[in-house]
Amino acid sequence: MNPDPRFWAVIPAAGVGSRMQADRPKQYLPLAGETVIQHTLGVFLRHPAVAGVAVAISAGDPYFHRLGITAHKPLRVVDGGAERCHSVLNALRGLAELAHPQDWVLVHDAARPCLSDRDLETLMQTLRDDPVGGILATPVRDTKKRATPDGRIAATVDRSQLWRAFTPQMFRLDPLRQALERALAQGFLVTDEASAMEYAGLAPRLVEGSAENIKITRPEDLPLAEFYLARRRAPHTEETP
């Protein structure tokens, strides 16, 4: 094992975000003076322990390079794929020239611009010696219902052991690459990196983070994200745990 592994970030950003009903993918929508993806990238680009970032964008993306993002560390742009898992796999392969196979990779949604420096640091410090890795998450607090096909309640689900999965999801580069390749080869289209590791027989760790780490999916999410970012920048404020 690499005695002093580095940390790298992977940002899958090839989605179109059709539920936003916007004229461009949601990661390029304006938010608090920048675009969504600029806020997302900023958390990793400014963290001193993150060695570099790989961003996966769709072929022919006309937006990313117009942003003029400058970085004082490697910022690699790769082609995305049909699904998130394909984009992540392409980014991992793109990092292989820069990173050690046992370096840590933090995969984070492009549309989660409210990741805090504190949560990122907590995840990295909690998992840096973990044999598997893990994810940011938060316990489920709402009552959960299972629905019938016609939209009626079939049952109330016990929430005591349920968590909402967030990102970043942090795993070592080569084990994650192998897990994704194995899952896809067997026709399992994973929706997040933890699912690929679970499919490989491993048990990722849950690290509790802030519920403010929201994913932009609908128009009403943008003003909420702007509120969180503005409050975080205001002096003498605390983040909601």
Side-chain angles (χ1 to χ4, degrees), residues 64-107:
F64 185 81
H65 293 291
R66 294 180 188 172
L67 297 176
I69 296 172
T70 57
H72 301 291
K73 59 184 67 174
L75 177 59
R76 178 153 294 191
V77 180
V78 303
D79 288 337
E83 301 290 342
R84 172 202 171 90
C85 51
H86 301 111
S87 294
V88 171
L89 187 52
N90 287 351
L92 294 176
R93 290 167 175 165
L95 279 178
E97 301 172 11
L98 303 174
H100 188 279
Q102 292 300 312
D103 281 350
W104 288 108
V105 174
L106 298 126
V107 184

Side-chain angles (χ1 to χ4, degrees), residues 118-224:
R118 183 174 68 184
D119 273 5
L120 177 57
E121 181 67 17
T122 296
L123 184 72
M124 294 166 71
Q125 293 303 322
T126 301
L127 298 178
R128 64 180 303 129
D129 296 319
D130 195 273
V132 177
I135 71 172
L136 274 183
T138 188
V140 168
R141 295 183 173 89
D142 299 321
T143 299
K144 292 296 180 184
K145 304 292 184 181
R146 181 180 296 113
T148 62
D150 61 348
R152 294 188 177 275
I153 295 173
T156 299
V157 180
D158 179 12
R159 68 184 181 192
S160 62
Q161 294 182 314
L162 296 179
W163 288 63
R164 295 168 59 204
F166 291 167
T167 65
Q169 303 201 350
M170 178 173 148
F171 301 102
R172 296 186 187 274
L173 193 155
D174 216 41
L176 177 57
R177 179 188 59 78
Q178 292 177 10
L180 285 168
E181 289 176 342
R182 185 179 305 115
L184 290 172
Q186 297 177 10
F188 183 42
L189 205 62
V190 296
T191 55
D192 71 350
E193 295 66 52
S195 297
M197 301 300 279
E198 294 165 49
Y199 191 72
L202 301 170
R205 184 170 178 179
L206 294 161
V207 178
E208 186 168 358
S210 170
E212 292 184 4
N213 185 12
I214 63 171
K215 186 176 183 180
I216 305 295
T217 56
R218 298 185 181 276
E220 59 266 28
D221 296 328
L222 278 171
L224 181 58

